[in-house]
Amino acid sequence: MHRLTRNIYFTGFMGAGKSRVGEATAKSLGWRFVDTDRFVEERAGKTIPEIFAQDGEAEFRRMEREAIEELSTRSYHVIALGGGALTQPTVAETIKRTGILVRLNASVDVLSERIGRKDNRPLMAGLDDERRKAKIRKMLAEREKFYALADFAVESSEELTVDDLVAKIRAIAAPWEYKRLEVSTPSARYPIFVGSNFLDLTGAVLAGLGLDRHDVVAVTDDNLAKAQAHNLRKLGAALGKAELFRFQPGEQRKTLASLDELYTFLLRRGYTRKTVLVQFSGGVVGDMAGFCAATYQRGIPFVQVPTTLLAMVDSSVGGKVAVNHPLGKNMIGAFYQPRAVLINLEVLHTLPPQEYLAGLAEVVKYGVIRDEEFFAFLEGHVREILNHDDAILARIVERCCAIKAEVVGLDEKEQGLRAILNYGHTFGHAIEKLTGYSTYSHGIAVALGMRAAARLATSLGLWDEACEKRQNALLDAFGFPSRVRVDAGAAWEAMSVDKKAENGKCVFVLPERIGSVRKVSGLDRAAVDRAWEALEGK
Ligand SMILES: NC(=O)c1ccc[n+]([C@@H]2O[C@H](COP(=O)([O-])OP(=O)(O)OC[C@H]3O[C@@H](n4cnc5c(N)ncnc54)[C@H](O)[C@@H]3O)[C@@H](O)[C@H]2O)c1
């Protein structure tokens, strides 16, 4: 896979060591180094104190922004940003699009001492040590939200030589070259990495997240322990002395009783709040491990390493975690975002074909609900997709995650928009429930559910029959079943207690065209029964 990263940017407060460490990093990589303050001074033909005095801070910020925009078009540069650069609109966006953003931290004492040694900082001019420290604290607090945008942070006041610091930064930065997206919700911001063969960098991801001093428990299931033994060993080596917990596989095991085994494992071994759960499996274990992370000692960090296509494009992103209850699927759960999602495509090679197909149902779903161009891309690449073409898969996984990240970013707790992700799921959940969660996997049930929802939409005149045919033709091309027989009365009841029901009324997400859906409620049962009948082939 090609690497998108072209530059490394350093941010942090003045005196944090951005120029010194940035220059050393550039040297060790054989890249060019640029300090935006020096760049601006050269362009302006005057020093920064002179620019501040003659033109004012606003003009300096404008020049700084222009400099960053220009530098961001270059490749293989290490760029030290001025301490206030990120406070400007659009600058952070430009930077995150074109490289890795590293934050250098230092204590207030160290910063003040370093700043005091020079008199080239207009914002600190004429201040004694005490007033300088007070101003540093105030400015750090004001800028925290901007510095927090960094991909990862490194402490520069530790007793490390510059060379040690550079080695540390390079080791942590390695997986960030696989970062493709960022999910940003009101409660969290986290990266999604997509690529092949970078499981060995999982430890570096934890270090970048500041979790390297935590205990680690890897959670998987018995199938993965066999089929992916080699990758589990790789993951174990990357995580250091992580213990492994194995669930028995299967949707039927997605219960509070199974979860209790994990709680007991953690408690018996004395795991505290300073423990990270790293889940290496599909959506079933992912949902369980995530719910455990949300609730164990009121919440511990959680990292998703999905191993099914469904988990890669759907369940590992967005923070819905849950277990099933005998009275309904995913009824006991939480919204709890992971700290990172690491998608290693090579693990799909051992995924049973039926499970791969199940993931494709969610992939088709994204096209129907949000992106006609993506839907057309799928139509044009059926053969490559069925042949597990990694390059095509990487694009698909990235696009699906981007759609999910966008939707979840706008509506984290499913107050409105997020419901569109449930397209096909109201029918699908009823199918799963009525067939005892064993005949059809979640993905296959969703594909059948999309056919039923499409039929309902056509019968209500919401979209053209041609759209229904187009959706179903793609499902056929992938080899999804098209027939299922359910008891329509029992299905209606199941749909009414589905947690997406509102005041006991079923809520359906129905398509208006390929690329757009809307919520419809209060439908007549007869119309829904007819959609079920169509699936029976009546
Ligand atoms: N949280 C969410 O937002 C969300 C979204 C969609 C689905 N889900 C949930 O996800 C679950 C379904 O997840 P799933 O489809 O990943 O099923 P799964 O987790 O049961 O995995 C499918 C099967 O494949 C095996 N497996 C997984 N990866 C493998 C690999 N690389 N090689 C060999 N075998 C492998 C598993 O052991 C299992 O037997 C459902 O419980 C559903 O409710 C959650």
Side-chain angles (χ1 to χ4, degrees), residues 10 12 100-101 157 174 215 271 279 283 288 381 384 408 443 458 520 531:
F10 279 94
I100 298 168
L101 180 58
S157 46
D215 291 323
Y271 282 106
Q279 97 82 14
M288 284 201 284
H381 293 87
E384 292 90 333
V408 168
T458 308
V520 179

Side-chain angles (χ1 to χ4, degrees), residues 357-370:
L357 187 63
L360 285 179
E362 302 287 353
V363 171
V364 173
K365 176 192 82 178
Y366 286 111
V368 178
I369 65 170
R370 204 75 175 158

Side-chain angles (χ1 to χ4, degrees), residues 268-490:
R268 283 230 171 99
R269 286 167 164 75
Y271 282 106
T272 66
R273 257 191 194 166
K274 275 196 104 188
T275 304
V276 198
L277 287 193
V278 176
Q279 97 82 14
F280 181 76
S281 183
V284 166
V285 171
D287 279 12
M288 284 201 284
F291 188 61
C292 176
T295 48
Y296 186 73
Q297 306 208 3
R298 298 194 179 82
I300 57 174
F302 170 52
V303 170
Q304 289 267 19
V305 187
T307 64
T308 64
L309 182 58
L310 181 135
M312 290 175 181
V313 299
D314 194 357
S315 62
S316 65
V317 178
K320 273 198 195 176
V321 292
V323 292
N324 299 332
H325 186 275
L327 293 181
K329 199 174 144 56
N330 294 328
M331 284 288 161
I332 316 294
F335 288 98
Y336 192 69
Q337 303 292 344
R339 297 288 300 274
V341 181
L342 282 71
I343 299 177
N344 286 266
L345 294 167
E346 77 281 7
V347 303
L348 292 177
H349 294 156
T350 58
L351 187 66
Q354 276 301 100
E355 299 299 344
Y356 185 69
L357 187 63
L360 285 179
E362 302 287 353
V363 171
V364 173
K365 176 192 82 178
Y366 286 111
V368 178
I369 65 170
R370 204 75 175 158
D371 188 347
E372 184 176 9
E373 202 180 305
F374 178 61
F375 189 90
F377 178 83
L378 298 175
E379 289 175 314
H381 293 87
V382 169
R383 200 164 36 85
E384 292 90 333
I385 294 167
L386 290 176
N387 287 338
H388 284 236
D389 180 319
D390 271 5
I392 297 291
L393 268 183
R395 288 174 66 177
I396 288 172
V397 167
E398 193 177 327
R399 183 65 196 129
C400 293
C401 288
I403 294 174
K404 181 132 191 202
E406 183 208 350
V407 172
V408 168
L410 292 168
D411 178 21
E412 182 176 19
K413 303 220 167 141
E414 206 166 317
Q415 301 297 304
L417 180 70
R418 188 167 176 163
I420 69 170
L421 297 170
N422 297 323
Y423 175 54
H425 286 60
T426 304
F427 285 99
H429 283 168
I431 294 170
E432 284 184 274
K433 189 173 176 190
L434 298 183
T435 54
Y437 297 109
S438 56
T439 316
Y440 299 99
S441 69
H442 175 75
I444 304 293
V446 166
L448 287 163
M450 286 196 287
R451 291 186 195 263
R455 182 87 293 261
L456 184 55
T458 308
S459 73
L460 296 172
L462 286 182
W463 72 347
D464 291 341
E465 192 158 11
C467 293
E468 182 186 356
K469 285 197 170 135
R470 190 173 168 201
Q471 173 199 278
N472 290 347
L474 185 57
L475 292 172
D476 293 342
F478 286 135
F480 284 102
S482 58
R483 296 279 171 256
V484 65
R485 182 185 291 265
V486 296
D487 175 333

Side-chain angles (χ1 to χ4, degrees), residues 2-7 97-99 177 179-180 398:
H2 80 126
R3 292 179 170 180
L4 298 182
T5 304
R6 291 176 299 187
N7 298 320
R97 216 174 355 92
T98 54
E177 298 191 6
K179 185 183 136 190
R180 292 293 175 269
E398 193 177 327

Side-chain angles (χ1 to χ4, degrees), residues 223-250:
N223 288 343
L224 266 306
K226 282 192 210 111
Q228 286 284 326
H230 56 300
N231 275 329
L232 261 174
R233 271 196 299 278
K234 215 193 236 186
L235 185 66
L239 293 174
K241 47 181 182 23
E243 276 201 276
L244 183 69
F245 177 87
R246 285 155 58 161
F247 281 111
Q248 289 180 18

Side-chain angles (χ1 to χ4, degrees), residues 117-190:
R117 270 191 248 146
K118 293 184 184 169
D119 61 355
N120 61 347
R121 316 278 194 180
L123 292 172
M124 295 287 162
L127 300 181
D128 62 23
D129 191 47
E130 274 320 298
R131 284 165 61 217
R132 195 161 55 229
K133 282 183 189 163
K135 184 152 188 189
I136 292 171
R137 276 191 204 96
K138 182 168 173 287
M139 287 176 71
L140 274 174
E142 285 163 2
R143 291 180 178 178
E144 176 54 35
K145 66 173 184 283
F146 301 107
Y147 292 145
L149 294 171
D151 287 306
F152 61 86
V154 174
E155 193 65 36
S156 80
S157 46
E158 272 178 19
E159 297 300 306
L160 289 179
T161 65
V162 172
D163 285 349
D164 288 344
L165 211 49
V166 170
K168 187 170 174 183
I169 289 165
R170 286 191 57 181
I172 297 178
W176 258 262
E177 298 191 6
Y178 293 89
K179 185 183 136 190
R180 292 293 175 269
L181 298 161
E182 208 164 72
V183 183
S184 181
T185 72
S187 78
R189 200 169 54 81
Y190 56 94

Side-chain angles (χ1 to χ4, degrees), residues 48-67:
I48 289 178
E50 284 167 354
I51 300 173
F52 267 72
Q54 294 165 17
D55 312 303
E57 182 175 352
E59 176 57 11
F60 168 72
R61 294 289 170 215
R62 192 197 59 74
M63 294 162 87
E64 184 182 47
R65 191 171 62 242
E66 228 174 68

